[in-house]
Amino acid sequence: MHRRDFIKFASATTGWLAAGQPWTAFAQGVTNGMLNVTVNPEPPGLMLAIIQNGPAQMVAGNIYEGLLRYDAELNPLPGLATSWKISEDSLTYTFNLKPGVTWHDGKPFSADDVVFSVDKLLRETHARLRASLVAVDSITAPDANTVVFKLKYPFGPFIGIFEVGTMPILPKHIYDGTDYRTNPANNTPIGTGPFKFKEWVKGSYIRLDKNEAYHEPGLPGIDGIYFHVIPDAASRAGAYEAGKMDIMPGGTVEYFDIARLKALPNTEVTTKGWEFFGPHCFMWLNNRNGPLKDVRVRQAIMYALDREAMKNVAWYGYGKVATGPFNTSTRYHSDDVTKYPHDKAKAKALLAEAGYKGETLRLLPLPYGETWQRFAEMARQNLSEVGIKVELQATDVGGWNEKLNNWDYDLAFTYLYQYGDPALGVARNYTTQNIQKGSPWNNVCGYSNPKVDELFERGAKEASSVKRRELYVEAQKILVDEVPVAWLIELEFPTIYRSNITNLVNSAIGLNDGFARAKVAKA
């Protein structure tokens, strides 16, 4: 089917989507109505304490809330907590909660809900938060509107772990004493957020309705949201083009479609709202295998890769060329490191010096679609131009996970979130204690340097920002010189939306922070 025919078809019928899928008239100019948003893939559930993948958080971030939010510079903002105080020794964090907040079932929210959620439920279910809670000695509620965290030792990134995806607050009266994973409320989630769960038609849509009793006066600014499940990228782009969608979150359309959609009337594009995550793309280099054991070969790979061209061709200009292990939106990023411009002559010289004999290296592309495939093909071309033989090995997502879990690769593409702080999202890829089979997200490359281990450990436990910066700058210099991985692109995920929607992205976690503050201009 040609695109023109497809669009006519999409406009005329819902037959290419799931039966019974509702479309609101919002895209044609209805104000304060229901927003139509694509979600891809369909989330496996909405209980954020158990499921933290991106689609789940984008939907459930409207239902649940955290104690804090964060602006684009990662400064904390009030959430369920209106104010907070950190003791001079950085061991006690006291939060004052907002009074008068209620759960969606009308029960009052209190400090007991926070203590139960963090100290009991999330310690059991939330692996990423659990790692940070190792630093917490006790969590107490001296009164209904106060929560006190006491730490065992200063933990530098602690004030950065209170957003809704990392620390969602759950209702104690519904979950205490139950099996968290099978609680029926997981299917009809109840939070304090701006929207209430209304309906989920599997394979078709999730509907949230406005919380009329929301604790922020005047919010939310819309009546509700339909999150539509549409199986393939071309159909999602066609739905927007046909006026059936209002918001296309980052990653829901292929990059080659963005310019065409951006040119449509009443359309805006933003790359904001990813500052907290800092999606950082790099190529794993298996430091254990053959020629990759030699740092000169790894440095040669950095010089061989034309990362500026990759950004412009594979990613259509979106993103930044990465300078090292820290994303520029991550605290303590430094440019004071060795640079690796595209230099084929230097790459060849380093390979000759290292005695590279033409061994073939296996490269795993990331199986996430056409853009990633093109990205891998460009890398192979660059490496072959300096004499490195590369064999692409296609896998599905399960196969990619399995090969990385078992370190069965030479080169592999990936991208990981950094969560604003090196102690939360960077150290895990380079410290010796994280060399463990069974996860594609830890130190898969097998890099080990006791000095780097020491710097990351001291950085995590240091309270002073000045001293933390000194430690992390030194760590970055060592890593960039030793090239445990090849850093490629700081990814950008453009969000496409209608021009009459304002204030859509207003925090460092973007759409995952919910749509409460979005407004719709009158037609």
Side-chain angles (χ1 to χ4, degrees), residues 299-356:
Q299 290 169 337
I301 289 173
M302 282 295 286
Y303 284 116
L305 296 173
D306 189 350
R307 297 174 294 155
E308 189 67 32
M310 290 175 168
K311 183 197 74 172
N312 292 331
V313 175
W315 298 94
Y316 287 79
Y318 287 98
K320 299 176 184 174
V321 172
T323 58
F326 286 37
N327 192 286
T328 49
S329 68
T330 301
R331 292 185 180 93
Y332 315 119
H333 165 268
S334 172
D335 278 329
D336 185 18
V337 294
T338 299
K339 303 297 190 295
Y340 292 94
H342 183 218
D343 188 335
K344 289 189 281 190
K346 200 157 188 174
K348 290 177 180 177
L350 282 164
L351 291 172
E353 187 180 324
Y356 171 65

XYZ file of all heavy atoms in Angstrom, residues 299-356:
457
model
N 41.794 1.852 21.211
C 41.949 3.261 20.814
C 41.811 3.405 19.293
O 41.220 4.379 18.801
C 43.317 3.775 21.272
C 43.444 3.922 22.778
C 44.881 4.183 23.230
O 45.837 3.855 22.519
N 45.028 4.740 24.424
N 42.356 2.428 18.541
C 42.253 2.476 17.076
C 40.796 2.459 16.634
O 40.406 3.151 15.674
C 43.014 1.291 16.463
N 39.966 1.691 17.342
C 38.542 1.644 17.009
C 37.900 3.017 17.207
O 37.104 3.468 16.383
C 37.844 0.561 17.859
C 38.272 -0.832 17.376
C 36.327 0.707 17.808
C 37.794 -1.979 18.246
N 38.286 3.693 18.287
C 37.733 5.041 18.506
C 38.116 5.992 17.376
O 37.303 6.792 16.914
C 38.232 5.599 19.849
C 37.509 5.045 21.064
S 35.754 5.510 21.150
C 35.865 7.233 21.627
N 39.372 5.929 16.936
C 39.790 6.804 15.832
C 39.138 6.400 14.507
O 38.918 7.233 13.627
C 41.314 6.760 15.680
C 42.062 7.558 16.725
C 42.911 6.930 17.630
C 41.915 8.941 16.802
C 43.609 7.657 18.592
C 42.600 9.676 17.766
C 43.446 9.030 18.653
O 44.125 9.770 19.594
N 38.844 5.105 14.343
C 38.297 4.628 13.057
C 36.837 5.015 12.869
O 36.391 5.212 11.733
C 38.442 3.103 12.981
N 36.081 5.129 13.944
C 34.642 5.379 13.839
C 34.359 6.848 13.522
O 34.809 7.743 14.246
C 33.947 4.983 15.146
C 34.015 3.490 15.498
C 33.447 3.243 16.894
C 33.269 2.649 14.467
N 33.633 7.085 12.447
C 33.236 8.447 12.070
C 31.901 8.743 12.762
O 30.818 8.627 12.164
C 33.107 8.560 10.551
C 32.904 10.006 10.112
O 32.666 10.872 10.990
O 32.976 10.261 8.897
N 31.987 9.130 14.012
C 30.780 9.268 14.835
C 29.934 10.474 14.427
O 28.718 10.466 14.587
C 31.193 9.330 16.312
C 31.883 8.028 16.758
C 32.413 8.117 18.161
N 33.496 9.080 18.257
C 33.837 9.719 19.369
N 33.156 9.504 20.475
N 34.840 10.563 19.369
N 30.581 11.508 13.893
C 29.809 12.662 13.413
C 28.931 12.239 12.224
O 27.751 12.619 12.149
C 30.772 13.777 12.998
C 30.101 15.114 12.694
C 29.476 15.761 13.922
O 30.014 15.580 15.021
O 28.435 16.433 13.769
N 29.499 11.464 11.305
C 28.713 10.978 10.168
C 27.602 10.046 10.630
O 26.488 10.075 10.110
C 29.626 10.258 9.173
N 27.896 9.207 11.621
C 26.858 8.311 12.154
C 25.675 9.119 12.687
O 24.514 8.797 12.441
C 27.445 7.474 13.294
C 28.443 6.429 12.849
S 29.178 5.616 14.295
C 30.000 4.243 13.514
N 26.010 10.173 13.427
C 24.939 11.006 13.985
C 24.095 11.611 12.869
O 22.865 11.618 12.919
C 25.541 12.119 14.853
C 24.510 12.997 15.543
C 25.116 14.296 16.031
C 25.392 15.246 14.868
N 25.811 16.590 15.296
N 24.775 12.114 11.844
C 24.055 12.834 10.789
C 23.292 11.904 9.851
O 22.253 12.282 9.317
C 25.039 13.691 9.993
C 25.591 14.833 10.825
O 24.919 15.335 11.740
N 26.821 15.236 10.538
N 23.818 10.707 9.613
C 23.181 9.799 8.653
C 22.185 8.865 9.349
O 21.006 8.827 9.003
C 24.248 8.992 7.881
C 23.576 7.963 6.967
C 25.142 9.922 7.076
N 22.665 8.121 10.338
C 21.779 7.135 10.981
C 20.722 7.812 11.853
O 19.584 7.348 11.934
C 22.600 6.157 11.813
N 21.118 8.925 12.497
C 20.203 9.568 13.445
C 19.667 10.897 12.925
O 19.111 11.687 13.682
C 20.915 9.766 14.798
C 21.308 8.449 15.391
C 22.512 7.814 15.273
C 20.467 7.554 16.116
N 22.482 6.593 15.881
C 21.232 6.399 16.414
C 19.144 7.611 16.550
C 20.707 5.320 17.132
C 18.623 6.538 17.259
C 19.410 5.419 17.544
N 19.867 11.164 11.666
C 19.313 12.359 11.007
C 19.630 13.638 11.787
O 18.799 14.544 11.898
C 17.804 12.188 10.803
C 17.513 11.192 9.694
C 17.588 9.823 9.927
C 17.210 11.618 8.401
C 17.365 8.903 8.916
C 16.978 10.701 7.383
C 17.058 9.346 7.644
O 16.830 8.450 6.635
N 20.834 13.689 12.343
C 21.291 14.900 13.019
C 20.885 15.007 14.472
O 21.350 15.908 15.183
N 20.032 14.118 14.953
C 19.626 14.168 16.363
C 20.704 13.521 17.240
O 21.229 12.460 16.923
C 18.298 13.450 16.569
C 17.122 14.234 16.015
C 16.595 13.928 14.758
C 16.569 15.281 16.732
C 15.524 14.648 14.249
C 15.514 16.015 16.227
C 14.991 15.694 14.982
O 13.941 16.422 14.487
N 21.025 14.171 18.363
C 22.003 13.636 19.301
C 23.304 14.425 19.282
O 23.457 15.403 18.545
N 24.239 13.994 20.119
C 25.573 14.608 20.196
C 26.606 13.491 20.166
O 26.362 12.412 20.715
C 25.748 15.377 21.510
C 24.789 16.517 21.737
C 25.045 17.114 23.131
C 24.035 18.201 23.455
N 24.180 18.688 24.853
N 27.753 13.780 19.576
C 28.846 12.814 19.633
C 29.342 12.743 21.082
O 29.630 13.766 21.696
C 29.992 13.221 18.691
C 31.210 12.316 18.906
C 29.528 13.139 17.236
N 29.406 11.549 21.635
C 29.815 11.373 23.029
C 31.326 11.585 23.168
O 32.099 11.149 22.312
C 29.442 9.977 23.515
N 31.738 12.235 24.254
C 33.163 12.468 24.484
C 33.766 11.482 25.476
O 34.975 11.454 25.663
C 33.401 13.891 25.020
O 32.664 14.060 26.239
C 32.944 14.935 24.005
N 32.925 10.685 26.130
C 33.436 9.752 27.132
C 32.296 9.063 27.845
O 31.175 9.013 27.334
N 32.542 8.544 29.039
C 31.533 7.729 29.730
C 30.391 8.511 30.343
O 29.358 7.935 30.665
C 32.355 7.021 30.815
C 33.509 7.913 31.067
C 33.841 8.533 29.747
N 30.546 9.840 30.557
C 29.491 10.621 31.189
C 28.708 11.382 30.116
O 29.293 12.131 29.324
C 30.074 11.653 32.168
C 30.600 11.077 33.460
C 31.245 9.866 33.510
C 30.447 11.793 34.637
C 31.758 9.351 34.692
C 30.934 11.304 35.838
C 31.595 10.076 35.867
N 27.396 11.246 30.119
C 26.544 12.071 29.281
C 26.651 13.528 29.758
O 26.843 13.769 30.949
C 25.096 11.582 29.414
C 24.162 12.172 28.380
O 23.790 13.328 28.464
N 23.806 11.359 27.400
N 26.503 14.481 28.837
C 26.634 15.885 29.238
C 25.535 16.320 30.207
O 25.676 17.338 30.885
C 26.620 16.817 28.014
O 25.512 16.475 27.171
C 27.894 16.703 27.214
N 24.421 15.563 30.285
C 23.375 15.907 31.250
C 23.605 15.239 32.603
O 22.843 15.478 33.542
C 21.996 15.491 30.709
O 21.868 14.085 30.650
N 24.634 14.413 32.717
C 24.942 13.733 33.972
C 25.891 14.583 34.816
O 26.823 15.182 34.275
C 25.583 12.357 33.685
O 24.660 11.587 32.906
C 25.899 11.604 34.962
N 25.658 14.625 36.115
C 26.500 15.438 36.988
C 27.979 15.073 36.832
O 28.323 13.913 36.712
C 26.100 15.241 38.454
C 24.735 15.798 38.806
C 24.483 15.675 40.312
N 23.173 16.204 40.659
C 22.081 15.446 40.732
N 22.154 14.157 40.497
N 20.926 15.997 41.038
N 28.816 16.094 36.846
C 30.282 15.955 36.841
C 30.851 15.511 35.492
O 31.983 15.030 35.425
C 30.744 15.011 37.979
C 30.056 15.297 39.281
C 29.259 14.333 39.905
C 30.142 16.559 39.876
C 28.589 14.615 41.081
C 29.475 16.841 41.056
C 28.702 15.872 41.659
O 28.028 16.159 42.818
N 30.055 15.678 34.429
C 30.611 15.441 33.098
C 31.777 16.395 32.871
O 31.755 17.560 33.273
C 29.544 15.676 32.026
C 30.111 15.793 30.642
N 30.460 17.019 30.081
C 30.426 14.858 29.721
C 30.947 16.808 28.882
N 30.930 15.516 28.635
N 32.838 15.904 32.201
C 34.005 16.740 31.904
C 34.447 16.539 30.453
O 34.467 15.407 29.950
C 35.156 16.368 32.846
O 36.351 17.030 32.447
N 34.800 17.661 29.820
C 35.382 17.598 28.466
C 36.901 17.526 28.513
O 37.550 17.415 27.473
C 34.984 18.846 27.656
C 33.605 18.690 27.061
O 33.226 17.550 26.754
O 32.908 19.714 26.910
N 37.473 17.582 29.718
C 38.932 17.589 29.863
C 39.464 16.156 29.776
O 40.004 15.600 30.733
C 39.304 18.227 31.210
C 40.807 18.369 31.368
O 41.521 18.307 30.342
O 41.259 18.515 32.516
N 39.287 15.584 28.602
C 39.705 14.194 28.364
C 40.345 14.106 26.975
O 40.214 15.026 26.156
C 38.506 13.221 28.428
C 37.926 13.149 29.830
C 37.435 13.629 27.421
N 41.016 13.001 26.710
C 41.596 12.762 25.377
C 40.491 12.738 24.330
O 39.430 12.154 24.551
C 42.344 11.412 25.363
O 43.386 11.460 26.323
C 42.909 11.118 23.982
N 40.735 13.380 23.200
C 39.745 13.422 22.121
C 40.091 12.371 21.059
O 41.261 12.071 20.819
C 39.699 14.814 21.493
C 39.405 15.938 22.481
C 38.025 15.783 23.117
C 37.615 17.015 23.920
N 38.483 17.246 25.095
N 39.057 11.865 20.424
C 39.231 10.849 19.373
C 38.517 11.293 18.094
O 37.439 10.793 17.768
C 38.692 9.498 19.834
C 39.492 8.868 20.949
C 39.137 9.056 22.275
C 40.604 8.078 20.662
C 39.871 8.479 23.299
C 41.351 7.502 21.683
C 40.976 7.707 23.007
O 41.711 7.131 24.015
N 39.125 12.219 17.345
C 38.521 12.597 16.056
C 38.645 11.449 15.060
O 39.469 10.540 15.245
C 39.386 13.797 15.623
C 40.702 13.570 16.279
C 40.384 12.920 17.605
N 37.826 11.505 14.004
C 37.903 10.473 12.974
C 39.258 10.594 12.272
O 39.534 11.587 11.597
C 36.768 10.661 11.968
C 36.731 9.594 10.921
N 36.420 9.858 9.603
C 36.980 8.275 10.978
C 36.465 8.748 8.905
N 36.803 7.765 9.718
N 40.141 9.599 12.437
C 41.511 9.682 11.923
C 41.952 8.276 11.514
O 42.482 7.508 12.326
C 42.427 10.262 13.005
C 43.830 10.571 12.472
O 44.246 9.937 11.484
O 44.494 11.444 13.059
N 41.733 7.949 10.254
C 42.020 6.591 9.779
C 43.521 6.283 9.829
O 43.919 5.148 10.140
C 41.474 6.421 8.349
C 39.948 6.370 8.289
C 39.441 5.983 6.919
C 39.482 7.143 5.963
N 38.779 6.842 4.690
N 44.358 7.272 9.532
C 45.800 7.036 9.549
C 46.277 6.678 10.959
O 47.102 5.764 11.143
C 46.538 8.281 9.032
N 45.764 7.394 11.948
C 46.152 7.112 13.326
C 45.658 5.734 13.763
O 46.347 5.000 14.488
C 45.600 8.191 14.248
C 46.317 8.278 15.575
C 46.137 9.648 16.195
C 47.011 9.784 17.426
N 46.964 11.153 17.983
N 44.439 5.397 13.312
C 43.903 4.079 13.647
C 44.783 2.973 13.062
O 45.109 1.990 13.748
C 42.475 3.959 13.116
N 45.179 3.128 11.803
C 46.024 2.107 11.166
C 47.374 1.998 11.865
O 47.907 0.891 12.052
C 46.219 2.453 9.686
C 44.954 2.287 8.841
C 45.212 2.722 7.391
C 43.962 2.556 6.542
N 44.159 3.039 5.151
N 47.932 3.132 12.271
C 49.232 3.114 12.949
C 49.147 2.374 14.284
O 50.034 1.587 14.648
C 49.717 4.552 13.155
N 48.066 2.623 15.026
C 47.892 1.935 16.314
C 47.697 0.435 16.126
O 48.227 -0.376 16.898
C 46.692 2.527 17.058
C 46.943 3.871 17.746
C 45.623 4.558 18.105
C 47.796 3.682 19.010
N 46.958 0.050 15.100
C 46.758 -1.379 14.830
C 48.081 -2.055 14.472
O 48.364 -3.183 14.911
C 45.748 -1.558 13.684
C 44.300 -1.179 14.016
C 43.448 -1.212 12.752
C 43.718 -2.104 15.077
N 48.895 -1.364 13.681
C 50.191 -1.929 13.305
C 51.090 -2.066 14.534
O 51.782 -3.076 14.727
C 50.853 -1.036 12.255
N 51.071 -1.042 15.374
C 51.879 -1.064 16.598
C 51.454 -2.201 17.524
O 52.289 -2.821 18.194
C 51.717 0.285 17.307
C 52.615 0.491 18.499
C 52.382 1.850 19.141
O 52.126 2.827 18.403
O 52.435 1.928 20.383
N 50.138 -2.477 17.551
C 49.620 -3.538 18.418
C 49.799 -4.922 17.816
O 49.541 -5.928 18.478
C 48.140 -3.287 18.693
N 50.198 -4.996 16.546
C 50.402 -6.300 15.908
C 49.113 -6.991 15.516
O 49.038 -8.229 15.499
N 48.071 -6.190 15.210
C 46.785 -6.769 14.801
C 46.980 -7.582 13.529
O 47.532 -7.101 12.540
C 45.756 -5.658 14.580
C 44.458 -6.133 13.959
C 43.614 -7.010 14.646
C 44.066 -5.692 12.702
C 42.422 -7.428 14.088
C 42.876 -6.105 12.133
C 42.060 -6.973 12.823
O 40.871 -7.403 12.263
